Amino acid sequence: VYTVMNSSTDESYHRWDGDTLKRCGKELGITIEQQSVPASQLMTKALRMASSKSLPDVLQLDASEMPTFAEAGGLIPLKDLGLTTTDIPDGIVDFGSYDGKYYGAARTVNTLALFYNKDI
């Protein structure tokens, strides 16, 4: 059994995440349990859990919170778990890295663009 803690407390997101984790778990032959905490409380709860060594197996943090959590010693570089970034674009690796170590994959990545009419 693996545990994922996230901030998917909104019913539709919680259900979607739960269904996705269940489907992935079935494909892998494991059970994945979802623990959802309100976004405003996730970092505080995760830091408290880190200090008591009771963190979940996977923690979904906002990218802006990752450096604080890495500094607190709450994350393991994915390289230490035997995972490689070989096929991952540099920008995505940079997004999940702190102080030269890759800690996590972005759940979603988007590209923003601005189109304009230069004649106007």
Side-chain angles (χ1 to χ4, degrees):
V1 176
Y2 294 89
T3 305
V4 173
M5 190 165 75
N6 59 30
S7 62
S8 298
T9 55
D10 176 84
E11 193 278 328
S12 60
Y13 281 114
H14 185 78
R15 184 174 20 88
W16 184 85
D17 281 346
D19 291 346
T20 301
L21 294 171
K22 187 175 183 178
R23 188 174 60 250
C24 290
K26 184 176 180 181
E27 190 174 310
L28 296 168
I30 61 173
T31 300
I32 305 173
E33 294 179 352
Q34 176 181 214
Q35 296 177 350
S36 296
V37 177
S40 63
Q41 299 170 22
L42 182 63
M43 187 64 164
T44 302
K45 180 170 182 150
L47 286 169
R48 196 170 47 248
M49 291 173 83
S51 68
S52 66
K53 306 225 184 287
S54 61
L55 282 167
D57 299 296
V58 175
L59 179 60
Q60 292 179 338
L61 291 171
D62 187 89
S64 64
E65 296 170 326
M66 191 264 294
T68 301
F69 207 72
E71 281 181 359
L75 300 176
I76 298 171
L78 295 182
K79 183 178 180 183
D80 293 358
L81 299 174
L83 301 172
T84 178
T85 59
T86 302
D87 297 326
I88 303 174
D90 291 342
I92 295 172
V93 172
D94 291 345
F95 192 70
S97 297
Y98 173 73
D99 202 22
K101 295 180 181 173
Y102 182 60
Y103 290 104
R107 179 177 174 168
T108 58
V109 178
N110 59 22
T111 302
L112 301 177
L114 174 65
F115 294 90
Y116 68 100
N117 182 337
K118 68 180 184 175
D119 294 334
I120 294 177

